Amino acid sequence: MEYAIVFLPLVGSIIGYLGKSLTKYFSEITTSVFVSLSAILSFFIFWEGINNNSYGNYKIFEWLSSGKFVANWSINIDPLSSIMLVVVTFVSALVHIYSIGYMSHDPHKPRFMSYLSLFTFSMLALVVSDNFLQLFFGWEGVGLCSYLLIGFWYKKNSANNAAIKAFIVNRVGDFGLAIGIFLIFFYFGTINFNEVFELTPQFLENKFLFFSFEINLITLICVFLFIGAMGKSAQFFLHTWLPDAMEGPTPVSALIHAATMVTAGVFLVVKCSPLFEYSQTALNLVTLIGMITAIFAASVALVQNDIKRIIAYSTCSQLGYMFFAAGVGAYHVAMFHLFTHAFFKALLFLGSGSVIHAFKDEQDIRNMGGVRKKLPYTYIFMLIGTLALTGFPFLSGFYSKDAIIEFAYLSKSPLGNYVVVVGILTALLTSIYSWRLFFKTFHGSYNNKQIPINDTHESPLIMLLPLFLLAVGAVFAGYIFKETLIGLHHNEFWQSSIFFLEEIKHEQVPLWFLIITPLLVTLAIPLSFYYFIYNTKILESFKNTNLPLYNFLLNKWYIDELYDFIFVTPAKRIGSFFWKKGDLGTIDRFGPDGISKLVKLIANKAGRFQTGFIYDYAFVMLIGLSILLTYLILN
């Protein structure tokens, strides 16, 4: 059963691609069925783990063996991987089914469905790994598949550029992860998780000379591992690829943002909690980057107009929540938010896809509005997703997001109080931009001048069914699993898959603290309706002032422009110099171009002797004979 969970998506990917010419829906049905079977088996594994503690490590084959160094290809099932299996396979299965309807008019559906299944397999290989090498294989696999899926519509320059950008930015993070793994292998002599974690206490005092600075070895390893997580989970400094990834089809956005690629970084930090717990410096870095990312992405989402980009920045912000939860030592709460977030974020992405489908690929919310009666089911599902994302009381996001702020308040982290302030402020901003998207999409007047409102229509059943199932998760997942994942007896579930050097004690917190976040996110609803629908002139006049704040947010804090100035433009100039002076001016000039010119010159000169007159040929023969005799006499 464990083998089937991992390899069914791979088999489906291969069969779906190779069998694309058999019948009309062969690839779509095959890939969807195989991933759905994997999802059903994942739920069974998760349930068996909770009730019967049935976990284990299943060796497939020995991958590398050199002396005492051994790296297997294994399927390691523990509480942490079991919950990731549920998240990945369930969302992926629904995305596959949704794609049958969403991509119905695309001529390359088999290739798309095959890529989705391959993406799922890569993520599953990552989360069930029992060593850093297999994890790195899955890590690079999801990076490759994201490149293929983001650039799926490869005839669009914007899609190609976005795919290349995602690939390159992730290579920066992956380089950091590779260095971290190299350090682990060099000092620990192994890359198996259990062996590394057991040996960690022996290296607490080891120092490493890094660029003339003496740094604690465990801290340096954790920092490099976190750099890898920053790239994959789009944290500040390495976040720039994520919004541009919206150039891919909407199902891709849901899969990347909700269940697979971006959660890999959070999974890595939680998986390596036995390392991070011994480095307060590394944990502080995780917390700091998480806080900056949360507030940065939420602020930028306030002014974006592309429906998918708003949700993309929301993902970035929510990942910041997960990281600063891990940074203060609440790893289990970070995973709980990852779990609930998968449902409502996939719901929002697929719901936005339904809206885009109704508006014939229009993505600007300024060209929408007034369609709540035309899209009644999509309206309800987007409402549920928005309520869950904002942390509205008693929906999934309420339980997990408030738990993060609460545990930060109770933690002994030196940044705990800052985390609380940033968490509450980010929750308020999240509510504002989420309701802005919702109200501008469905309420107010109809603003699309290209498409008559009567031409908009509800999505087919095959697209609405995944939305319904995700909506159920967005409503009930937090309440059902709160006690299991973060309750008083959460250790009974997590066991040794998460390590706590000093666990945060769940104590009573003040009542005002408990109600402040739900109160703010609730008050944001009428305020958002007033400013974005009822009286829009106030915000329009603010945008027309000379204050730089709006342009600062609209241009995403000018991070892309800064990177362009520091890295891209100098790299282009250096490349242009070496291309013109080195490649064209030196190599080509004296190499192939120079030799060809010389041969041509000699051939042209030699051609002048081909006159057709006997005395010219005799003269040439006489010169040749003279040269030969001279050579013989001299030697």
Side-chain angles (χ1 to χ4, degrees):
M1 182 166 60
E2 290 78 11
Y3 299 95
I5 291 173
V6 176
F7 289 105
L8 276 174
L10 177 62
V11 174
S13 174
I14 296 171
I15 295 176
Y17 188 80
L18 296 179
K20 57 186 176 181
S21 58
L22 294 180
T23 60
K24 185 177 180 181
Y25 292 105
F26 178 81
S27 297
E28 294 94 313
I29 293 173
T30 302
T31 53
S32 299
V33 168
F34 277 45
V35 174
S36 297
L37 288 173
S38 182
I40 293 169
L41 294 175
S42 297
F43 276 107
F44 184 77
I45 289 289
F46 181 61
W47 184 254
E48 282 292 299
I50 292 176
N51 290 281
N52 301 320
N53 197 30
S54 55
Y55 302 112
N57 190 297
Y58 306 90
K59 178 181 173 182
I60 301 176
F61 59 86
E62 191 176 90
W63 195 1
L64 294 176
S65 178
S66 178
K68 295 182 179 180
F69 173 71
V70 177
N72 298 322
W73 186 279
S74 302
I75 298 176
N76 182 53
I77 304 295
D78 62 8
L80 183 59
S81 61
S82 70
I83 198 169
M84 289 298 296
L85 288 176
V86 169
V87 169
V88 172
T89 57
F90 179 68
V91 174
S92 180
L94 296 182
V95 167
H96 275 74
I97 296 169
Y98 180 91
S99 299
I100 296 175
Y102 190 85
M103 302 292 289
S104 59
H105 301 296
D106 195 286
H108 305 292
K109 293 188 296 293
R111 178 166 61 89
F112 179 77
M113 302 299 288
S114 178
Y115 287 168
L116 285 182
S117 291
L118 186 61
F119 200 134
T120 306
F121 164 72
S122 299
M123 189 64 187
L124 292 176
L126 189 160
V127 300
V128 300
S129 58
D130 73 342
N131 61 77
F132 282 100
L133 188 60
Q134 184 181 335
L135 180 141
F136 194 73
F137 171 86
W139 196 272
E140 294 302 307
V142 293
L144 169 64
C145 293
S146 69
Y147 170 78
L148 296 173
L149 286 167
I150 294 168
F152 178 75
W153 288 320
Y154 54 85
K155 293 183 179 180
K156 289 172 57 180
N157 286 331
S158 57
N160 277 325
N161 293 336
I164 292 170
K165 186 176 184 179
F167 196 78
I168 291 174
V169 174
N170 271 277
R171 295 291 72 74
V172 176
D174 295 353
F175 183 64
L177 176 61
I179 293 176
I181 296 173
F182 293 154
L183 286 172
I184 289 172
F185 171 68
F186 184 80
Y187 282 93
F188 289 73
T190 180
I191 55 172
N192 294 318
F193 289 133
N194 289 338
E195 295 175 5
V196 170
F197 298 155
E198 288 176 4
L199 291 171
T200 298
Q202 300 178 21
F203 293 89
L204 297 182
E205 303 302 323
N206 284 47
K207 303 293 182 181
F208 186 90
L209 200 62
F210 184 72
F211 287 105
S212 301
F213 293 97
E214 194 175 59
I215 304 175
N216 181 273
L217 175 64
I218 302 300
T219 296
L220 193 63
I221 289 173
C222 290
V223 168
F224 278 117
L225 293 178
F226 179 59
I227 290 173
M230 286 173 63
K232 200 64 72 181
S233 292
Q235 292 300 283
F236 193 69
F237 294 124
L238 296 179
H239 67 278
T240 53
W241 67 270
L242 194 62
D244 291 344
M246 297 303 98
E247 290 294 335
T250 300
V252 174
S253 305
L255 193 58
I256 290 177
H257 286 245
T260 55
M261 188 165 163
V262 295
T263 62
V266 180
F267 170 79
L268 175 65
V269 172
V270 176
K271 183 74 176 179
C272 295
S273 56
L275 285 167
F276 279 88
E277 279 291 274
Y278 288 105
S279 174
Q280 187 59 49
T281 302
L283 287 176
N284 290 343
L285 177 63
V286 173
T287 306
L288 183 63
I289 295 295
M291 286 194 299
I292 295 173
T293 305
I295 198 71
F296 156 75
S299 65
V300 172
L302 288 171
V303 298
Q304 298 299 306
N305 296 309
D306 186 303
I307 187 171
K308 287 170 64 178
R309 282 179 180 265
I310 296 171
I311 305 174
Y313 277 110
S314 171
T315 298
C316 211
S317 181
Q318 297 304 306
L319 287 165
Y321 267 103
M322 299 175 206
F323 275 110
F324 67 60
V328 298
Y331 304 99
H332 56 312
V333 185
M335 287 304 301
F336 182 45
H337 192 53
L338 184 153
F339 178 71
T340 61
H341 176 263
F343 293 103
F344 56 75
K345 189 50 61 68
L347 176 61
L348 286 170
F349 265 115
L350 297 186
S352 70
S354 184
V355 173
I356 294 167
H357 184 74
F359 279 92
K360 304 185 188 310
D361 298 328
E362 175 61 66
Q363 296 183 196
D364 194 325
I365 61 174
R366 292 172 297 183
N367 297 327
M368 299 178 185
V371 292
R372 64 184 184 279
K373 293 181 180 179
K374 297 291 292 183
L375 311 175
Y377 298 111
T378 300
Y379 176 81
I380 294 171
F381 294 139
M382 287 289 283
L383 175 62
I384 293 172
T386 302
L387 288 169
L389 171 62
T390 58
F392 192 79
F394 310 118
L395 274 76
S396 293
F398 166 74
Y399 292 102
S400 57
K401 188 183 292 185
D402 280 29
I404 291 175
I405 299 172
E406 187 177 337
F407 273 79
Y409 178 81
L410 295 171
S411 73
K412 296 181 180 179
S413 169
L415 298 175
N417 292 331
Y418 299 102
V419 168
V420 171
V421 175
V422 170
I424 294 173
L425 179 59
T426 303
L428 175 61
L429 296 180
T430 301
S431 188
I432 293 172
Y433 70 68
S434 297
W435 290 112
R436 172 178 177 264
L437 181 151
F438 181 78
F439 290 139
K440 279 189 168 292
T441 302
F442 295 103
H443 289 266
S445 58
Y446 185 77
N447 299 313
N448 197 301
K449 298 179 181 179
Q450 305 296 325
I451 306 167
I453 189 169
N454 291 328
D455 287 354
T456 59
H457 57 84
E458 187 60 273
S459 298
L461 181 61
I462 199 164
M463 291 172 64
L464 294 176
L465 178 61
L467 293 175
F468 171 75
L469 295 175
L470 289 168
V472 173
V475 174
F476 297 110
Y479 174 77
I480 293 173
F481 292 100
K482 178 184 178 182
E483 188 59 35
T484 301
L485 301 183
I486 64 170
L488 295 176
H489 305 289
H490 63 270
N491 284 324
E492 295 177 6
F493 171 76
W494 294 109
Q495 300 179 28
S496 60
S497 63
I498 294 179
F499 176 75
F500 298 98
L501 192 62
E502 185 177 355
E503 190 172 353
I504 301 172
K505 294 181 180 179
H506 193 277
E507 301 171 353
Q508 191 67 32
V509 296
L511 179 62
W512 66 266
F513 184 81
L514 291 175
I515 66 173
I516 186 170
T517 306
L519 182 63
L520 287 174
V521 300
T522 304
L523 287 174
I525 300 175
L527 287 175
S528 299
F529 185 83
Y530 178 79
Y531 284 112
F532 297 124
I533 299 297
Y534 187 74
N535 191 355
T536 59
K537 294 181 180 179
I538 296 176
L539 292 178
E540 288 298 324
S541 62
F542 174 77
K543 287 193 294 185
N544 294 329
T545 61
N546 294 324
L547 293 174
L549 178 60
Y550 176 75
N551 288 327
F552 179 72
L553 297 179
L554 189 65
N555 289 282
K556 303 159 289 186
W557 291 22
Y558 295 100
I559 301 297
D560 282 283
E561 288 77 5
L562 181 65
Y563 284 174
D564 186 74
F565 176 76
I566 296 175
F567 300 113
V568 178
T569 301
K572 284 182 177 179
R573 288 175 178 173
I574 294 171
S576 178
F577 173 80
F578 281 107
W579 172 56
K580 291 180 178 178
K581 299 295 183 181
D583 195 2
L584 296 179
T586 304
I587 297 173
D588 284 354
R589 181 182 177 187
F590 297 105
D593 290 348
I595 293 173
S596 64
K597 286 181 180 179
L598 181 63
V599 171
K600 185 178 180 180
L601 178 65
I602 294 173
N604 289 335
K605 297 293 184 184
R608 293 182 179 181
F609 292 105
Q610 308 298 320
T611 62
F613 296 107
I614 294 177
Y615 54 80
D616 284 333
Y617 296 146
F619 178 68
V620 172
M621 292 172 65
L622 181 63
I623 292 174
L625 180 62
S626 300
I627 293 172
L628 179 62
L629 290 175
T630 303
Y631 174 77
L632 293 173
I633 291 170
L634 293 176
N635 288 281

